[in-house]
Amino acid sequence: MVVDTKLYDVLGVAPDASDAEIKKAYKKQSLANHPDKNPGDETASERFQEVANAYEVLSDPDARAAYDRYGETDGNGPGGPGMNMDDIFASMFGGPSFGMGSGPPRRAQDSVIPYSVTLEDLYNGKTAHFALEKNVVCSHCQGTGGKTGAMPKDCVTCGGKGRVLQQRHAGNGMISQTVAPCSDCDGKGKKFREKDQCKKCHGKTVVSAKTRLRLEVPRGGYNGQRIVFEGEGDQLPNSKPASIIFELEQKPHDTFEVKNLDLLAKVRIPLSEALLGFSRTILTHLDGRHIHVTKAKGDVIRPGQVDVIKGEGMMDQRYYDQKGDLYISWDIEFPSKEWAQTVDEETLASLLPPKRPILPTNSDSIVDEVSLSPGSMDMYGANMGTRPRGHDHDHFDSDEPNVQCAQQ
């Protein structure tokens, strides 16, 4: 329940209007009341300003929430005498959003650093060293930004409020307005005069410092995993230091795919091994071990067959004795066309299972002799005819009715 609907009424929308509805109404009202379209009309000019002010509040989620809860600013602040915008931010977020009042201190923003790793790194673990720069609280002024005994003054740019009104052209002659932290005082509302600033940090309260970090990629790590260095990031006065977060990004692998703790490898073998068996190394594992497999004669490997080697997948990073499995997908390599043309047909036929019998026919059978052409599954479904795009199944609902003419 909102306490005041005046700004909504200015735009002609309901209090529960969506952001899109508010934006649409603002464009409509701005165009209708723009001074260029209403030269000399003071009423339209005032209306244009009211529309801009209403949109400024309702387009910002925080400002809109404050307006819904406390109403419009009347000089003493929304909600009654003595309450101002800083009080609203304090009631909404547990402390002042701007200014140098008391309350929970600001915290520097955590740094998220992407770090590329190979699948071998995740399987075996890896150690990396980094040299980074960060902001630390100035030891000369203890983070005040000024000389001993000096007092900060209200920022001239924002008038001590810590925030400024920014305007930008939104096209079609419209101007959008937003409230942003003052860049001159970093949103504090106060700053030291140049002669009163700390000579080391020049009033910034922090200075740059170098730090070294040792990153331990755990055995059994995974893509997207975050490794957090708590408190090793940027600092701000009277606040908890930020953290540095490394996010692992796994590079594609030529042999293996990974899903949770399981690995998948596609192994290509000739037809002779698929039929007669073999005993050899089929691949090199992520830790350099040769994986040797024996397939007995008669244990025929068929196209698309998948076998599993238990316990040869990724290990759990907490319990090294818990491992996934390694799945082997067999890819049968058939002889080339040249080989098939040169081999003795009768000899090969005597070694292979017999061909399938020809389907019996009679005088009523229709036999259609066709020719084959090389194809690709990438082109499967490309022939659409008059079917609508996006419908790739047999039964679908078309936006157009299926109109048929009745026979007369």
Side-chain angles (χ1 to χ4, degrees), residues 123-312:
Y123 186 87
N124 301 299
K126 179 183 179 180
T127 300
H129 299 272
F130 294 89
L132 304 173
E133 286 192 0
K134 65 178 182 179
N135 292 328
V136 298
V137 175
C138 177
S139 59
H140 190 265
C141 65
Q142 305 303 317
T144 64
K147 296 179 179 178
T148 303
M151 296 297 293
K153 306 296 183 181
D154 284 346
C155 174
V156 176
T157 302
C158 64
K161 295 181 179 180
R163 58 189 182 276
V164 293
L165 187 65
Q166 293 182 339
Q167 294 184 343
R168 66 176 182 177
H169 293 282
N172 296 326
M174 295 184 295
I175 299 176
S176 64
Q177 297 178 328
T178 58
V179 178
C182 176
S183 59
D184 200 21
C185 63
D186 295 328
K188 300 174 183 177
K190 294 182 180 294
K191 58 181 297 185
F192 289 95
R193 292 179 296 181
E194 187 173 353
K195 68 175 184 177
D196 294 331
Q197 292 177 356
C198 170
K199 295 187 178 298
K200 185 176 181 179
C201 67
H202 303 287
K204 299 296 184 181
T205 71
V206 294
V207 294
S208 179
K210 294 183 178 181
T211 184
R212 294 185 63 85
L213 293 179
R214 174 188 173 97
L215 174 64
E216 297 282 353
V217 178
R219 298 174 66 185
Y222 53 89
N223 182 52
Q225 181 176 357
R226 290 191 166 193
I227 302 175
V228 181
F229 289 85
E230 186 70 32
E232 292 292 340
D234 289 334
Q235 299 177 4
L236 286 175
N238 303 316
S239 68
K240 183 179 178 181
S243 298
I244 294 179
I245 304 170
F246 287 91
E247 185 170 7
L248 304 183
E249 293 184 349
Q250 178 202 323
K251 300 177 183 177
H253 199 274
D254 293 334
T255 303
F256 296 97
E257 296 180 18
V258 60
K259 186 174 183 180
N260 296 325
L261 294 183
D262 293 332
L263 291 171
L264 170 65
K266 179 178 289 188
V267 178
R268 189 174 181 85
I269 60 172
L271 180 59
S272 58
E273 290 186 341
L275 296 175
L276 304 176
F278 60 88
S279 181
R280 64 175 177 86
T281 296
I282 60 172
L283 55 80
T284 302
H285 212 316
L286 295 168
D287 57 0
R289 290 181 294 119
H290 290 187
I291 302 300
H292 190 280
V293 168
T294 298
K295 276 283 188 178
K297 179 182 179 182
D299 189 6
V300 177
I301 299 176
R302 291 167 172 78
Q305 179 176 324
V306 175
D307 291 330
V308 61
I309 304 175
K310 295 291 186 180
E312 285 294 346

Side-chain angles (χ1 to χ4, degrees), residues 314-348:
M314 300 290 290
M315 63 187 67
D316 187 272
Q317 59 181 294
R318 292 187 179 181
Y319 307 101
Y320 289 163
D321 59 341
Q322 181 177 341
K323 294 184 178 181
D325 300 325
L326 171 58
Y327 288 77
I328 304 297
S329 175
W330 300 104
D331 184 11
I332 312 300
E333 181 181 352
F334 280 77
S336 65
K337 181 179 180 180
E338 291 75 18
W339 180 90
Q341 290 174 341
T342 57
V343 70
D344 183 74
E345 183 177 350
E346 293 184 0
T347 302
L348 182 59

